[in-house]
């Protein structure tokens, strides 16, 4: 299943982020970003990928407009 982040995803997505980012992982920064996404940010979107209730991955997309 692929779906947008929900508040109950926070712990599992944080584990995946920490595993992926390693030493670059910032737990406080990630928590703030996650909360902004779940609260309906217009600039960032988060997608969780699950199979049989197990988290397989995630995607965070930063949405912006160019002034070309």
């Amino acid at each position: 299943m692929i779906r947008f982040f929900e508040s109950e995803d926070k712990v599992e997505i944080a584990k995946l982020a920490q595993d992926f980012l390693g030493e670059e992982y910032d737990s406080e920064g990630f928590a703030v970003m996650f909360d902004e996404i779940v609260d309906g940010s217009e600039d960032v979107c988060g997608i969780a990928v699950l199979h049989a209730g197990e988290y397989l991955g995630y995607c965070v997309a930063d949405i912006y407009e160019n002034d070309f």
Side-chain angles (χ1 to χ4, degrees):
M1 169 179 21
I2 298 172
R3 61 169 170 71
F4 290 109
F5 284 177
E6 297 176 359
S7 57
E8 60 268 9
D9 298 331
K10 191 172 190 175
V11 171
E12 293 300 323
I13 297 295
K15 288 178 188 176
L16 291 171
Q18 185 175 21
D19 184 49
F20 177 72
L21 297 171
E23 292 180 13
E24 296 178 25
Y25 176 72
D26 170 16
S27 61
E28 290 180 22
F30 187 84
V32 169
M33 179 192 65
F34 187 91
D35 291 342
E36 288 176 359
I37 291 171
V38 171
D39 288 342
S41 171
E42 294 181 14
D43 299 323
V44 184
C45 134
I47 298 170
V49 180
L50 298 94
H51 176 70
E54 185 173 332
Y55 289 81
L56 301 178
Y58 71 95
C59 174
V60 174
D62 192 3
I63 303 161
Y64 63 93
E65 294 181 29
N66 284 327
D67 294 325
F68 290 108

